[in-house]
Amino acid sequence: MLERIYDVVVAGGGPAGICAAVEAARCGAKTALIERYGCVGGNLTQGYVGPLLGGTCAGTMSEEIARKICPVPGAVPDFEWAKDALTDMLADAGVDVYLQQTLVSVEREGDTVRSFTADGKCGPIRFEAKVYIDATGDGDAAYLAGCPFEMGRAGDRLVQPVSFMFIIQGVDENQPLLCEHEEHHTDLGDGREYLDLCHRACATGELPKNVNIVRLYKTAYPDERMVNASQENYINPFDPADLFRAEVSLRRQTAQIVAFLKNNIPGFANIRVKGSSTTLGVRETRRILGDYVITVEDVAAGRLFDDAVVHHAGFCVDIHNPDGPGQSEFVDKRPTIAGAHDIPFRAMTPIGVNNLITAGRCISGTHEAMASYRVMNICFAMGQAAGAAAAIMTANGIASTRALDVHAIRDHLKMRGVKLDA
């Protein structure tokens, strides 16, 4: 078995993992990033997910990334640009990136993680480090390390549905139609209202049964829209049979959604699919239990924490209905807007291990709270904080996250320009 030794090893090359690895490497830590796909970016590139949603305080790495990948501010990123820009960020920071490598085991001795092992075409590679970061989205590393977790909503344990995102091309440039949320009402100019049209098409079967809104987002190009509409419910994202069932259904839904737009929307008659995600858009899986569990009450109240490493995280409580169309609480209303809240470092430190940090949607929180902080701008900021913490630990010989003075992380982030006190 091949062996590699680093200061910091990050599992997962999506938004949180990229920022974690870049920040750790920029701080001087010898850093490796393990990624299961053939390019970095996760849902941002492979999943065609945009725009970059969620807000945080000023100065986080999300601003740097947005400048690199969004040709038009506020529009959907150019996903091909993103593949190049994110790869360059990692290379320029000096991160060793291991593509097409799947994390298969975690070696643990007492409360200390000793190694990650990933497998790929050249066989298994054992990675030894001082500090490890789980940015897999699914909490794979923490799960393999035996950390406790929760999954799904209370009661039936259903997770949010999976989706395919895609981009259509060929929209008449004189047609300005956008639809960004459940209350984005638009008069089509011929006596019809767009959202009402979507609801009626869902009821009659012209749209798939769980698709009662076809969201349309602006891209950098006037004849395009990014489409967020398809969804498949009752999927276990870890079950291969379920994954293929979802793949079949969502590909078929894509064709049905395109036909609906072509047949009903002025200026959409000549559209075609320009590109689509190459992996399922998974919104929710494991939530790794940490020293603090973020609640929806924390989110709604805009709670602040003394150990905050992400400040003023803000996004709606966006729970796509696990058991039908629309949102889980309201079928045709925009989800509740959350207060600008903090994410405490304690929510990123899994119970029972000393040198493992989580970042991204798999941090410690409830089903409802996770629905707010799971979006990309907040995940960028979490990843940056995790990378900073890991680098500080390695530079100072700190063996446990609980022995790390969180003010050292905060001071470092403020030195980087993050406005944690604003």
Side-chain angles (χ1 to χ4, degrees), residues 235-355:
I235 293 295
N236 176 356
F238 302 139
D239 183 331
D242 272 14
L243 293 177
F244 185 63
R245 177 164 63 87
E247 181 94 13
V248 171
S249 176
L250 292 170
R251 294 291 179 192
R252 291 173 177 171
Q253 287 182 35
T254 296
Q256 191 174 355
I257 292 162
V258 169
F260 161 76
L261 293 170
K262 292 180 72 164
N263 294 335
N264 289 281
I265 309 302
F268 280 65
N270 297 317
I271 62 171
R272 64 180 183 87
V273 175
K274 175 187 177 183
S276 64
S277 59
T278 55
T279 185
L280 288 180
V282 176
R283 295 181 172 91
E284 176 184 12
T285 53
R286 302 184 189 101
R287 306 185 310 276
I288 305 302
L289 293 177
D291 294 317
Y292 185 84
V293 179
I294 302 173
T295 68
V296 72
E297 290 78 17
D298 294 333
V299 170
R303 185 173 178 189
L304 307 181
F305 295 89
D306 290 340
D307 64 333
V309 290
V310 177
H311 184 47
H312 278 184
F315 192 64
C316 59
V317 180
D318 188 16
I319 307 177
H320 292 244
N321 191 354
D323 197 28
Q327 297 291 313
S328 61
E329 286 86 7
F330 306 103
V331 170
D332 58 356
K333 291 186 179 180
R334 192 177 188 181
T336 303
I337 299 297
H341 64 96
D342 287 350
I343 292 179
F345 187 57
R346 287 169 294 156
M348 299 166 62
T349 54
I351 293 171
V353 287
N354 290 327
N355 60 335

Side-chain angles (χ1 to χ4, degrees), residues 1-60:
M1 180 187 299
L2 296 175
E3 295 198 5
R4 299 288 185 268
I5 297 176
Y6 288 91
D7 295 322
V8 178
V9 172
V10 181
I18 289 169
C19 290
V22 168
E23 184 64 30
R26 285 176 177 175
C27 292
K30 185 180 179 183
T31 304
L33 175 65
I34 303 168
E35 168 53 42
R36 62 175 171 160
Y37 293 125
C39 77
V40 297
N43 273 333
L44 176 54
T45 53
Q46 304 281 344
Y48 266 57
V49 176
L52 303 180
L53 296 176
T56 64
C57 68
T60 70

Side-chain angles (χ1 to χ4, degrees), residues 207-222:
L207 281 173
K209 64 179 181 179
N210 286 331
V211 177
N212 70 347
I213 174 173
V214 179
R215 301 171 194 84
L216 301 170
Y217 294 90
K218 178 174 69 174
T219 78
Y221 310 101

Side-chain angles (χ1 to χ4, degrees), residues 381-409:
M382 281 192 266
Q384 183 177 7
I392 292 167
M393 288 176 66
T394 62
N396 294 279
I398 300 171
S400 172
T401 54
R402 291 159 191 89
L404 173 61
D405 183 354
V406 73
H407 291 96
I409 309 172

Side-chain angles (χ1 to χ4, degrees), residues 171-200:
V171 179
D172 188 322
E173 295 186 12
N174 295 313
Q175 168 57 275
L177 177 63
L178 299 173
C179 180
E180 297 180 347
H181 54 76
E182 282 73 5
E183 291 181 331
H184 193 161
H185 295 282
T186 304
D187 186 345
L188 292 174
D190 55 8
R192 298 178 301 161
E193 195 282 315
Y194 178 70
L195 283 178
D196 179 64
L197 178 64
C198 291
H199 294 156
R200 287 189 286 108

